[in-house]
Amino acid sequence: NNVYRLGAGDNLTPADGFEVVRFDDPFGGGYVYAAMQKIGDPAPPAAPYMVKQAALYAQKWAQAKGNPPTVPPQVVDGLDAAQWEEKVRDATRTMEMMRGMYDIFGRVW
């Protein structure tokens, strides 16, 4: 359940058989959230799942906004741009809460 914020003192070098999944925070600060996932794992644990969900939400938000900006905004999978933005913000907050659990329960390296 380890979510890392790269560039904030956290670094990731995956072991053999693992890969790093990433999400670039679009809300400023230049943060990159990341987690390790076993390559080919069809049911990843909470951390890589959340990182991948945030990245998917961000992609759908960009589509709904109209990307490139000359394309009119649209509904993507039933949600408009504001709703997708809220999902991205919620996912980002969730990853920050997951990171905060390290201070409470400790890190396992």
Side-chain angles (χ1 to χ4, degrees), residues 2 10 96-108:
N2 291 346
D10 288 338
E96 276 299 320
M97 285 188 285
M98 292 169 81
R99 284 177 35 78
M101 295 294 176
Y102 306 153
D103 293 333
I104 297 168
F105 298 107
R107 292 182 184 232
V108 177

Side-chain angles (χ1 to χ4, degrees), residues 42-102:
Y49 175 82
M50 196 69 240
V51 171
K52 288 167 61 173
Q53 282 299 111
L56 177 65
Y57 296 160
Q59 180 183 27
K60 290 180 184 277
W61 178 30
Q63 287 176 314
K65 286 189 298 188
N67 194 6
T70 57
V71 176
Q74 55 190 320
V75 172
V76 175
D77 292 341
L79 301 177
D80 64 21
Q83 292 168 312
W84 281 115
E85 178 182 359
E86 186 57 33
K87 289 181 89 57
V88 174
R89 288 184 185 278
D90 283 345
T92 303
R93 283 190 290 268
T94 297
M95 288 184 291
E96 276 299 320
M97 285 188 285
M98 292 169 81
R99 284 177 35 78
M101 295 294 176
Y102 306 153

